Structures are given as C-alpha cells and as structure tokens.
Amino acid sequence: MATRTEVRATELPAVPLTLEGASCLHQMARVRWPEWKKLPAAERAAIAKEFSAWLAPLEAEGKTALFAMIGHKADLMLIHYRESFEGLKSAELAMANLRLCDFLEPSTSYVSVVELGLYDSTLKLYRELTEKGIEPNSAEWKAAVDETLARQAEAMKARLWPKVPPQRYVSFYPMNRLRGEDKNFYTLPIEERQRQMEAHGLVGRRYAGKVQQIITGSIGFDDWEWGVDLFSDDPLQFKKLIYEMRFDEVSAIYALFGQFFVGVRCAAAGLDELLAGKLPAKP
Ligand code: 76R
C-alpha cells in the first residue's frame, strides 16, 4: 500500500480552485396533520393563503421553491437560494413568522453554497505558474489565481446564481468524498483527483437535457461535504444517473451518501390543495 508521503508526492498545491455563488437552504418539515385538520375550513384557507402570498413572488423569481416530499422523511421541502447567509436567515425568519409554520415540524435542514469545482483550470493554471518558477502563495501566484477566478465567475454567472429549476421532480442528498480512514479522496494528488473528476463529468454530461444538477458545498456549514440536487421531469432518470455514477471511480471508491429525499414540485398557488390532500400542479 502506498504510504501517505508517496500518495502526496506532487509539487502542486492540493486544493482545487472553487467558485461559490448563491447561499442555499433546504428545509424539510412534516405537517402536523391532526392539528391542521382540526382547524375550521376558513382558517385553513386563510393560513394557506398567507403562506402562498409570501411564496408566490419568490417562486416567480426562482429564489424559493416548494416540493411535496414522498415518504415519511418529510411532507414538504423548501429550497431557498439567496445572495448571502443573511438573506437565507431572513427568509427563514420571515417564514417562521407565517401562521402555517405553527403546523409544521421541521424534520431536517441543509445549509450550503452553490459550488463549481474547477479541477481542469486549476491544474492548467498551477502547472503554468510552476513552470514559470512562481512560488505557490506568493503575491504573483495569488494575483494569477484571482484573475482566473474572476474570469471564470463571470463566465459561469448563470450557474453560480441559479433559479430553482422548473422540472417536476427533485432528488436531494448530502455526500462526502471519503469513506473511512483508508479511502480518502483528499490524500490523492491533485492530478489524480482531476482525472477522476473529469471522468465523473463525462458520465454526467450524458444526462444533459434529462437531469439538471446543482452541486452545493457545505464544508464548514453542515454535516456533509456536499449537497446534491438533481431535477428532472422523469424520476427514473435519478436512479439511472446515480446508479451509473456508482461505477465511476470517484464514486465507487470515495463517495459516501447521506439520506435521500425525493419530491414533487408544487406551485405556491396550489398550497391550499396540497394541504387538503390533493397534489397540485407545478408552477
Ligand atoms: O460542474 C460541471 O459541470 C463540471 C464537472 C463537474 C464537477 C466539477 C460535475 C459534473 N460534477 C462536479 C462536481 Mn457532479 N455530481 C455528483 C453527484 O451519485 C454520485 O455518485 C454523486 C452525486 C451526481 C449525481 C452528479 C452529477 N459532483 C461534483 C462534486 C464536487 C466534488 C469535488 O469538487 O471534489 C460532487 C460531490 C458531485 C457529485 N455531475 C456533473 C453530475 C452531472 C449530471 C454532471 C454533468 C453536468 C453537466 O455537464 O451538465
């Protein structure tokens, strides 16, 4: 087995460049059905209307979306994208103040930021700078990194600041890129991680048009390293894509997954229907 020094034998800095965009909060909640059903119909209607009126403009902007979740882990999931953590906390507070939240029991949540990993450009840049004899972390090195990041952030603006995609189904799950003490992605040289991530991207690209993915990074924010959101009009595509990726070297060896959540997108305007036991249309 390779020793730690052997697998770490690379001249290049280990950390790939990443771009961060929108702050993201997933909120899962169960409806307190017995208490909800006890309310008079007029009160239920007023409570649903208050929530829908708050949600509708955010939904139209693509900033917050409502999903009806399948299975016992949650009845509802809200996905919020905001410009900052302050924006996320404001959304959470505004929502908590709505009367519907008295009838919701949070079951879990997930805090992360939209992240684009730049393994390809990182490796190209690090090699270029090293060949020119520029010292890692010197002023010149940092300036070149900043310049690359600024250029990429501009080119990838739409992906960094997404609207919640419009597809009918979502699959959300958190994951890590290490398994136990022997299988640790972070001890691989950056060249090897770049190679594996490139192969991962190639598999993913075969699902273009069928599944839209948004990767959010959560190191330092939540219990796993990444949150994965997949959106599709055909939920079977989630299974096919994730199954195929299990055979990817990077997933087969290094991926560890948390709980999976699957749900159906619902229009804000359909909330009263949903809470009356009927699945509404998507927006
Ligand atoms: O962003 C890009 O399109 C560039 C290539 C790419 C990166 C950097 C990419 C492509 N992903 C990247 C990063 Mn991904 N992805 C997952 C999962 O089920 C599994 O095995 C893992 C869960 C899926 C289903 C998926 C789908 N990806 C990441 C990262 C960060 C890792 C890091 O930086 O070390 C994780 C955790 C992750 C996990 N990925 C794609 C997809 C799909 C469908 C694509 C192609 C997207 C496209 O080109 O449109």
Side-chain angles (χ1 to χ4, degrees), residues 159 173 175 177 185 197 200 204-205 213 226 245 251:
R159 288 183 59 197
Y173 50 98
M175 64 175 287
R177 279 260 185 257
F185 191 56
M197 287 305 296
H200 163 83
R205 245 166 270 155
Q213 124 272 29
W226 283 279
M245 278 194 174
S251 295

Side-chain angles (χ1 to χ4, degrees), residues 17 19 118 121-122 125 143-153:
L17 301 175
L19 290 173
L118 302 176
S121 356
T122 302
L125 180 68
V145 164
D146 287 348
E147 196 268 323
T148 298
L149 288 176
R151 198 164 24 84
Q152 298 271 8

Side-chain angles (χ1 to χ4, degrees), residues 16 18 115-119 159 173 175-177 185-186 197 200-208 211-213 215 226 228 230 241-243 245-246 248 251 255 257 260:
T18 55
E115 176 187 300
L116 297 178
L118 302 176
Y119 267 105
R159 288 183 59 197
Y173 50 98
M175 64 175 287
N176 290 342
R177 279 260 185 257
F185 191 56
Y186 305 101
M197 287 305 296
H200 163 83
L202 289 177
V203 173
R205 245 166 270 155
R206 287 214 294 276
Y207 288 79
V211 178
Q212 192 174 338
Q213 124 272 29
I215 302 296
W226 283 279
V228 179
L230 304 176
L241 167 59
I242 297 167
Y243 188 38
M245 278 194 174
R246 290 294 153 100
D248 242 26
S251 295
F257 298 90
F260 282 67

Side-chain angles (χ1 to χ4, degrees), residues 44-268:
R44 279 191 306 228
I47 292 174
K49 201 170 160 194
E50 181 196 46
F51 195 91
S52 298
W54 172 76
L55 181 58
L58 296 167
E59 175 183 272
E61 281 186 81
K63 291 170 80 171
T64 294
L66 171 71
F67 296 87
M69 306 309 284
I70 307 177
H72 79 287
K73 290 175 209 155
D75 291 311
L76 305 179
M77 179 170 79
L78 286 129
I79 300 181
H80 310 275
Y81 293 121
R82 291 296 185 278
E83 285 181 11
S84 64
F85 273 18
E86 281 179 350
L88 279 186
K89 189 61 215 175
S90 300
E92 199 178 8
L93 285 169
M95 220 180 87
N97 251 286
L98 300 171
R99 286 170 70 202
L100 180 66
C101 288
D102 300 345
F103 297 90
L104 299 182
E105 185 71 52
S107 56
T108 188
S109 65
Y110 206 77
V111 180
S112 51
V113 293
V114 172
E115 176 187 300
L116 297 178
L118 302 176
Y119 267 105
D120 279 341
S121 356
T122 302
L123 209 54
K124 257 183 232 148
L125 180 68
Y126 286 0
R127 279 184 175 141
E128 210 180 285
L129 295 177
T130 309
E131 277 161 23
K132 283 190 197 154
I134 299 170
E135 271 295 302
N137 297 314
S138 62
E140 209 178 336
W141 180 282
K142 282 185 193 155
V145 164
D146 287 348
E147 196 268 323
T148 298
L149 288 176
R151 198 164 24 84
Q152 298 271 8
E154 187 52 35
M156 308 228 216
K157 228 184 205 163
R159 288 183 59 197
L160 287 170
W161 303 99
K163 292 176 188 289
V164 182
Q167 289 88 340
R168 182 64 155 163
Y169 299 98
V170 69
S171 170
F172 169 76
Y173 50 98
M175 64 175 287
N176 290 342
R177 279 260 185 257
L178 75 172
R179 281 184 181 172
E181 287 166 11
D182 292 338
K183 302 288 178 212
N184 191 331
F185 191 56
Y186 305 101
T187 57
L188 291 179
I190 190 167
E191 294 90 338
E192 176 56 18
R193 279 177 282 131
Q194 185 275 333
R195 188 189 68 73
Q196 294 190 12
M197 287 305 296
E198 193 175 331
H200 163 83
L202 289 177
V203 173
R205 245 166 270 155
R206 287 214 294 276
Y207 288 79
K210 286 188 266 188
V211 178
Q212 192 174 338
Q213 124 272 29
I214 297 183
I215 302 296
T216 57
S218 43
I219 293 179
F221 304 138
D222 219 315
D223 302 342
W224 295 77
E225 294 170 349
W226 283 279
V228 179
D229 276 293
L230 304 176
F231 301 90
S232 180
D233 284 318
D234 174 7
L236 269 186
Q237 296 301 322
F238 298 145
K239 180 177 181 297
K240 291 186 187 300
L241 167 59
I242 297 167
Y243 188 38
E244 192 168 347
M245 278 194 174
R246 290 294 153 100
F247 296 91
D248 242 26
E249 202 173 351
V250 72
S251 295
I253 304 179
Y254 300 106
L256 191 69
F257 298 90
Q259 277 198 313
F260 282 67
F261 295 86
V262 67
V264 189
R265 178 80 188 265
C266 296

